[in-house]
Amino acid sequence: MKLRTGWAHKNVVLTLVERERSARSFKIDSTSVADIVPIVLTNVRRVSIVMTDDGSHYRSLGREYLSHDTVNHSRKEYARGEISTNTVEGYYSIFKRGVQGVDQHYAEKHLHLYLAEFDFRYNTCISLGWNDAMRSEKAIQDIHGKRLMYRRPHSAEIN
């Protein structure tokens, strides 16, 4: 029996956060360039200043954006002036506390739904000017015309 070590047993999530604005999260298969870069290119405007850790999977981004700055976590560097990944790490802190404190566990197949919920919470927080009434109205607008079912009905049961 081989024991898993490191992060091999964890789900891989990519979250893009615009400072003091919004977050968008994606469950991805790996931290490879092939999985990460297309999502970033599709969802981040080219005039952006991109800040990441020093992971090799982000290296090619510098050619695509106004600038690409990194912090080197392996050297205990977490911020250098305005350059940091603290915003996205704050998002993950909220997400992890929410999953552990409220939900306690989630099935991998539902991870994208939990991420969407936390993106919504993050994007409609009080510090961005949202109140409970506005947040409720937005949630109702977003679910209009959508149906979430536990399982698909049998075709014989559909009238």
Side-chain angles (χ1 to χ4, degrees), residues 16-76:
L16 308 172
V17 179
E18 187 175 6
R19 284 196 177 162
E20 298 181 28
R21 294 283 170 101
S22 61
R24 233 171 139 202
S25 301
F26 306 86
K27 181 190 177 307
I28 56 178
D29 293 329
S30 73
T31 60
S32 71
V33 172
D35 284 335
I36 292 174
V37 171
I39 293 171
V40 175
L41 293 176
T42 301
N43 292 280
V44 179
R45 293 176 303 200
R46 297 302 193 277
V47 295
S48 300
I49 297 170
V50 177
M51 296 179 206
T52 67
D53 61 24
D54 60 330
S56 61
H57 38 269
Y58 299 121
R59 287 192 186 133
S60 65
L61 294 176
R63 297 185 296 269
E64 300 291 333
Y65 293 95
L66 187 60
S67 74
H68 175 212
D69 297 308
T70 62
V71 290
N72 190 338
H73 291 327
S74 61
R75 292 188 179 156
K76 306 282 188 228

Side-chain angles (χ1 to χ4, degrees), residues 66-157:
L66 187 60
S67 74
H68 175 212
D69 297 308
T70 62
V71 290
N72 190 338
H73 291 327
S74 61
R75 292 188 179 156
K76 306 282 188 228
E77 179 184 53
Y78 299 101
R80 190 174 58 259
E82 291 291 313
I83 303 163
S84 77
T85 57
N86 292 341
T87 306
V88 73
E89 291 184 28
Y91 171 92
Y92 286 128
S93 174
I94 294 165
F95 177 76
K96 288 177 185 177
R97 273 185 274 139
V99 169
Q100 292 170 351
V102 175
D103 303 309
Q104 297 180 18
H105 176 74
Y106 58 86
E108 182 177 353
K109 70 180 182 179
H110 298 301
L111 176 59
H112 67 287
L113 297 171
Y114 285 96
L115 291 169
E117 176 189 348
F118 277 86
D119 286 354
F120 179 82
R121 288 182 186 186
Y122 188 90
N123 297 339
T124 59
C125 65
I126 292 170
S127 67
L128 294 178
W130 290 80
N131 62 37
D132 289 342
M134 295 163 62
R135 192 176 303 111
S136 297
E137 186 176 319
K138 172 79 171 137
I140 291 167
Q141 288 173 353
D142 288 354
I143 63 170
H144 180 74
K146 297 178 183 171
R147 184 174 175 195
L148 180 63
M149 297 177 288
Y150 182 70
R151 60 176 66 98
R152 291 196 165 276
H154 298 285
S155 59
E157 295 175 19

